[in-house]
Amino acid sequence: MANNMLLSQEAYRKIDRELTKFPADQKQSAVMAALAIAQDEKGWLSPEVMQDVADYLGMAAIAVQEVATFYNMFNTKPVGKYKISVCTNLPCALSGGDRAGEYLKQKLGIDYKETTPDGQFTLIEGECMGACGDAPVMLVNNKRMCSFMSNDKLDALLEELKK
Ligand code: FES
């Protein structure tokens, strides 16, 4: 059990469920799932939350931090309510990904890795999402995939999210 218990009972229950998928001596195998659960609840992974996950899984905090900083789906800094990850890997970049990113930057008035002053939107560059044929593609909060994002569709997405 973690000492601090920074997450809700429900979150620990979900982590416990993930833990049942692995042998008792391999709790660290659930680290990705545990971090995703923690992030869903907290919005981002503060050092305290990473420590909590480390304690819960019986891991060194540094090992948890290494996982969290390696994958760009994990937020190790506070982010806006909506994190939009634009795929700018080469196939997408050549098929409108760069243009879509520039359009969003201009509309939101921020650069990549920045958050709008009202805390609504964070923009980041994403890695290949396995949907290169649907470029420009982006993910909202790591979960919602948006494809063929023309400027009109980007306008509509931002309007919808602002509501
Ligand atoms: S390069 Fe963008 S989805 Fe593959």
Side-chain angles (χ1 to χ4, degrees):
M1 264 296 151
N3 297 324
N4 302 329
M5 306 300 284
L6 291 179
L7 305 177
S8 67
Q9 291 292 324
E10 175 61 17
Y12 293 114
R13 264 198 298 275
K14 284 186 192 164
I15 295 173
D16 287 344
R17 223 157 27 231
E18 293 299 325
L19 285 171
T20 62
K21 297 176 185 169
F22 304 103
D25 61 348
Q26 285 171 36
K27 280 181 167 187
Q28 68 272 18
S29 303
V31 64
M32 298 273 292
L35 287 173
I37 290 163
Q39 179 168 287
D40 273 351
E41 183 160 295
K42 295 288 186 187
W44 69 291
L45 300 169
S46 65
E48 294 76 23
V49 167
M50 286 190 270
Q51 179 70 59
D52 187 70
V53 168
D55 290 346
Y56 203 75
L57 300 182
M59 293 173 69
I62 184 73
V64 172
Q65 277 166 26
E66 277 169 7
V67 173
T69 51
F70 183 77
Y71 295 96
N72 73 357
M73 66 184 170
F74 293 126
N75 311 321
T76 51
K77 296 207 175 77
V79 289
K81 187 170 175 203
Y82 300 108
K83 182 180 77 171
I84 304 178
S85 319
V86 182
C87 180
T88 53
N89 278 188
L90 193 58
C92 276
L94 296 175
S95 308
D98 276 351
R99 179 205 47 77
E102 290 307 314
Y103 186 73
L104 280 173
K105 283 189 203 172
Q106 176 236 316
K107 276 218 72 153
L108 297 172
I110 54 174
D111 209 335
Y112 285 127
K113 298 190 181 153
E114 290 183 351
T115 299
T116 53
D118 63 2
Q120 283 286 99
F121 297 100
T122 299
L123 203 54
I124 66 161
E125 290 186 275
E127 299 297 328
C128 179
M129 299 163 187
C132 321
D134 300 347
V137 293
M138 49 201 68
L139 273 176
V140 179
N141 289 349
N142 303 318
K143 294 196 172 82
R144 174 177 167 189
M145 182 76 142
C146 303
S147 308
F148 303 110
M149 295 306 284
S150 62
N151 290 357
D152 283 351
K153 286 181 81 173
L154 288 170
D155 288 342
L157 175 69
L158 293 183
E159 279 312 308
E160 179 207 315
L161 296 177
K162 276 183 198 160
K163 277 184 194 147

